[in-house]
Amino acid sequence: MLQKPQGKKLHRSNMISQEEFPQDLCDAGGLDCSPTRKQSFGEYSRVPLDDNSDTPEISDMDTELIFPLMETKLYKRRWLMLFIFSAYSMSNAFMWLQYSIIGDIFMRFYNIDSLALDWLSMIYFLTYIPLILPVMWVLDNRGLRDVLVVGAAFNCIGAWIKTGTAHPDMFAMTLLGQFVCSIATVYILGIPSRLASLWFGQKEVSTACSVGVLGNQMGIAIGFLLPPILVPNVDDVDELAYYIRIMFYTSAGVATLLFILVVIVFQEKPELPPSQAQAQARSTPSDENSYLSSILRLLRNKPFMLLMVSYGLNVGCFYSISTLLNRMIIDHYPGEEVNAGRIGLTIVVAGMAGSLLCGIWLDKTKTYKQTTLAVYLLSLIGMIVYTFTLNLGYLWLVFVTAGALGFFMTGYLPLGFEFAVELTYPESEGTSSGLLNCSAQIFGIIFTISQGKIIDKWGTFAANIFLCIFLLIGSVLTGFIKSDLRRQKANLQQAEVRTVSPTGSESSAKDYGATASSVHWQRQS
């Protein structure tokens, strides 16, 4: 009598022998079903049966667990969800920079000093730090749609508060309006990677994340471009107030339209998951992903912690440069407010191209650490070149070097998000992205205040060298990150077994019994 091997039981009806393995599956699915190869598919092999039992058993010694394939589908409306979010993010980012890029005009209009002006931008950073933890809790417990609706509401309310502040005595009120808009930022910055994972497939998730980041960068670009055009540097205070009022009402109108779109059109998630990794995440019991335990696991994840610090250093430098760009350009090129905005636009447009190309590259190569480290080093080189060319007196050269800096420094943003998701899967994408952005806001405040003080005392060259040092530190930290691509492992595990529907499109394995029961397939190691 044959002895029963020790192991997990599988019902006989759920087993497929080598002879019974569907040939159409082999042909359409591209599987190698030769006799030699079939022997390697332990989950399809016959196993010895005990004479007194109809239930076969498979040895655990030579097998490993394969989760059942689940049905997935990509919906065309995923692009509409991404567009709505990107437009809403663009509106909020524009209002972040609409003061600082024409800082000399607002300093004269409100009769304030440079530090008070800088706080109109830094309030975005300061608000983010205490609010990100409760907002991440809302994201995990209430979902993506509720977070976006609340954020769009704050963005709209803040924009309308600012419409009544086009008067020299209304600085406190305009700071209040900017504070309300900054609350909306907490509901925006961590969303791209979460939205991409919920709606987009394995081969396009990094590109979708890049497009989500692109919306924010587009808002920064418009924030650099339009305020110098909408608010010319005129001496008459009443005329200046008129132009400022036009800018504020335009911002409020756009924010209102986008709030309506979010409420009416935006959906939480598709009916079916877009990838096997997302399907596994959906099936994970909620008690295994509690909010506090998730944060604690992330804080114990050494590769993620290194990434969090290095990400904060890079993005904090970008925030500081964006906030103080007007001051740096005007110091060397007096009266060039419009060109200061155009240089900022060049930085962001080049960065948008970098973001998109980096996202496409990640989807094709999955080389997360290598790409992140390379872009980080190029950001450092770009910052060094920008530092040594800013004071040469050639404005066209500043455009070139600033564009190169923006291409790599802004292109790094989606890389950090996607690398974090890989290092922390199956933790919530919103939690990892939120912690990354919290680090960026902290360093953004530190760098903006410090660089502003250095500019006042020693000039722009010393201030930019200050940022170069921290970019060098961030590059070293990035080199020490261990590349543990957990999300890719989940997707590759599921790719071991594919099935093809009669129409030829990929679907779940349930047609062949793989998910018809709670039984797990076993594969010989």
Side-chain angles (χ1 to χ4, degrees), residues 36 70 88 92 129 131 227 237 272 341 363 443:
T36 303
M70 302 178 188
Y88 151 51
N92 183 260
I129 297 168
L131 293 183
V237 175
L272 295 175
D363 277 331
F443 283 111

Side-chain angles (χ1 to χ4, degrees), residues 227-268:
I229 297 174
L230 295 175
V231 185
N233 193 357
V234 297
D235 294 330
D236 184 82
V237 175
D238 292 334
E239 185 180 1
L240 189 57
Y242 169 76
Y243 292 125
I244 292 174
R245 193 175 296 110
I246 289 177
M247 181 173 69
F248 287 161
Y249 271 102
T250 302
S251 303
V254 173
T256 303
L257 175 63
L258 292 172
F259 170 67
I260 294 171
L261 276 177
V262 170
V263 171
I264 296 176
V265 179
F266 197 87
Q267 295 177 318
E268 170 67 24

Side-chain angles (χ1 to χ4, degrees), residues 113-123 323-324 327 448 452:
D113 60 17
S114 59
L115 183 60
L117 176 79
D118 291 342
W119 273 111
L120 288 172
S121 295
M122 290 192 296
I123 191 67
T323 302
L324 302 174
R327 291 175 60 186
T448 301

Side-chain angles (χ1 to χ4, degrees), residues 50 91 101 159 210 309 341-342 387 417 421 435 439 458 464 495:
D50 184 81
S91 168
I101 196 57
S210 298
V309 175
R342 291 171 179 168
T387 299
F417 282 153
V421 173
L435 291 175
S439 174
W458 292 293
N464 288 331

